[in-house]
Amino acid sequence: MATTRDGIAIGRRGLLLGGAGAAAGLGLGLWPRRGLAAEPVSVAGIYTVPVEQQWVSRLHKAADAARAAGEITYAFSENTTNTDYPRVMREYAEQGVKLIMGEIFGVEQEAREVVLDYPETAFLMGSSFKPDPDYPNLAVFDNYIQDASYLSGIVAGAMTKTGNIGMVGGFPIPEVNRLMHAFMAGVREVKPDATFQVSFIGSWFDPPKAKETAFAMIENGADLLYAERFGVSDAAQEKGVLAIGNVIDTQPDYPETVVASAIWDFAPTLAAALKNVSAGSFKADDYGVYSFMKEGGCSLAPLGTFAGKVPQSAMDLIAQKEAAIKAGDFIVEINDKEPKSS
């Protein structure tokens, strides 16, 4: 696949290594070369969905910002199937890319086989597993934005009238489960008797299916929806109920529907990886910590059109909890078990 957006050449064949492929012949531990100014690190992203999809969009945005700042060169492949994923990994590695990032949730073992074949390439991959020293050049991450999800739950608890909340997710994997549990915990801070309808659509990108699932929840009494997937906020907007966003701020698209969103910022994660690649110290590690609120990896989006409409008592509680989270005095529980309907 090759695409051009905003005048930037991208795609598997569109990688610009910079300096006539300066990175290609260097071992992982030899960057940058002593006595020379550091050159941009060559980075490639491999994504199984379009870059507009919530989760992937955060990786893409952070990488594109680093490219604009001159820190990296950047190419990416989107809509890469799991069966094709290992081949694309190899293709980028063969080109001499220094850092390959993406998501291997559906191709964990196959990806690790590729990693072993390219020990001089750094791999930073979204994964449900922890780092393994047997794969020393594979670091893992996940969007641990439970802190922001918890705060968005407080907003939801204050805004629901019936206490019946619908939650539509992609798959019941740890990265989704922990956000849902944190959201539910936040709701219960102000609405202890709230009930939840929980459903997973079996896809990371199927807005029509997410929308239909949300419609069924509204029919079953939900007056507020947790939009873990695209399509949920569309249903909420059509039926006149409220929604809480996830990973990205969708309020500009749904100004009368999306009250708040838990935002993921991948920039701290990418910055840490680039620092280690440049220092020659990249290794098997868990970069999930850089998604925590105290690391700047997540936040509660501005309320926008809903500013002043959320009860002040809830806003005061949010401010109190946010300060405690950043200070390390309050820890939002990380619960990776599949959530169930009430």
Side-chain angles (χ1 to χ4, degrees):
M1 176 185 298
T3 313
T4 300
R5 298 187 185 187
D6 301 324
I8 306 168
I10 54 178
R12 293 198 296 270
R13 300 290 184 183
L15 177 63
L16 304 178
L17 288 177
L26 296 178
L28 190 60
L30 298 179
W31 180 280
R33 287 170 291 179
R34 184 172 298 176
L36 297 178
E39 299 174 8
V41 178
S42 55
V43 176
I46 310 174
Y47 312 126
T48 61
V49 293
V51 293
E52 291 82 7
Q53 188 260 12
Q54 292 127 298
W55 194 91
V56 160
S57 73
R58 309 314 290 172
L59 278 68
H60 179 66
K61 180 179 180 179
D64 205 37
R67 178 204 58 78
E71 299 171 0
I72 68 172
T73 60
Y74 176 50
F76 68 88
S77 298
E78 58 186 337
N79 294 313
T80 304
T81 63
N82 284 334
T83 54
D84 206 28
Y85 208 97
R87 182 186 64 79
V88 180
M89 290 174 67
R90 291 183 183 279
E91 193 166 317
Y92 277 129
E94 290 289 343
Q95 292 178 24
V97 175
K98 294 303 296 180
L99 175 65
I100 298 175
M101 67 181 196
E103 14 127 14
I104 57 172
F105 297 103
V107 62
E108 297 277 2
Q109 188 52 49
E110 296 89 341
R112 282 168 171 75
E113 293 173 5
V114 175
V115 165
L116 289 178
D117 289 340
Y118 298 94
E120 295 183 350
T121 304
F123 293 88
L124 177 65
M125 293 291 177
S127 171
S128 295
F129 294 90
K130 293 300 182 182
D132 186 338
D134 289 338
Y135 305 90
N137 56 324
L138 172 62
V140 297
F141 68 89
D142 212 336
N143 62 327
Y144 283 87
I145 64 169
Q146 65 281 344
D147 299 329
S149 296
Y150 170 81
L151 297 182
S152 73
I154 294 176
V155 174
M159 295 299 286
T160 178
K161 294 179 180 178
T162 66
N164 185 333
I165 295 176
M167 306 181 68
V168 181
F171 292 92
I173 67 171
E175 67 144 338
V176 175
N177 298 343
R178 73 176 67 106
L179 304 188
M180 285 188 163
H181 280 295
F183 172 82
M184 295 161 77
V187 170
R188 293 185 178 116
E189 288 283 3
V190 293
K191 202 82 169 180
D193 58 347
T195 59
F196 301 92
Q197 302 178 56
V198 181
S199 184
F200 298 92
I201 63 171
S203 172
W204 291 130
F205 194 74
D206 191 343
K209 188 172 183 179
K211 185 177 181 180
E212 288 303 316
T213 303
F215 277 149
M217 292 178 173
I218 295 169
E219 288 293 322
N220 199 35
D223 73 337
L224 188 145
L225 300 173
Y226 176 71
E228 199 271 329
R229 293 290 101 194
F230 277 158
V232 177
S233 294
D234 294 295
Q237 181 175 252
E238 288 188 25
K239 295 297 184 179
V241 303
L242 300 177
I244 298 293
N246 178 56
V247 175
I248 62 175
D249 185 3
T250 55
Q251 205 202 55
D253 299 317
Y254 308 93
E256 304 305 318
T257 301
V258 175
V259 185
S261 299
I263 304 300
W264 182 29
D265 186 351
F266 189 69
T269 304
L270 180 58
L274 291 175
K275 179 180 178 181
N276 289 331
V277 169
S278 295
S281 58
F282 190 90
K283 61 181 181 179
D285 207 348
D286 188 349
Y287 281 69
V289 64
Y290 295 105
S291 292
F292 284 34
M293 185 170 284
K294 63 181 180 180
E295 298 292 338
C298 68
S299 62
L300 185 67
L303 298 183
T305 57
F306 282 88
K309 298 179 182 178
V310 178
Q312 188 58 46
S313 58
M315 297 305 300
D316 292 343
L317 179 59
I318 289 170
Q320 173 192 334
K321 293 294 187 179
E322 181 175 357
I325 289 170
K326 290 180 176 179
D329 296 329
F330 178 74
I331 305 298
V332 176
E333 180 186 8
I334 297 175
N335 184 346
D336 288 346
K337 295 181 180 179
E338 181 177 345
K340 305 293 185 179
S341 298
S342 301

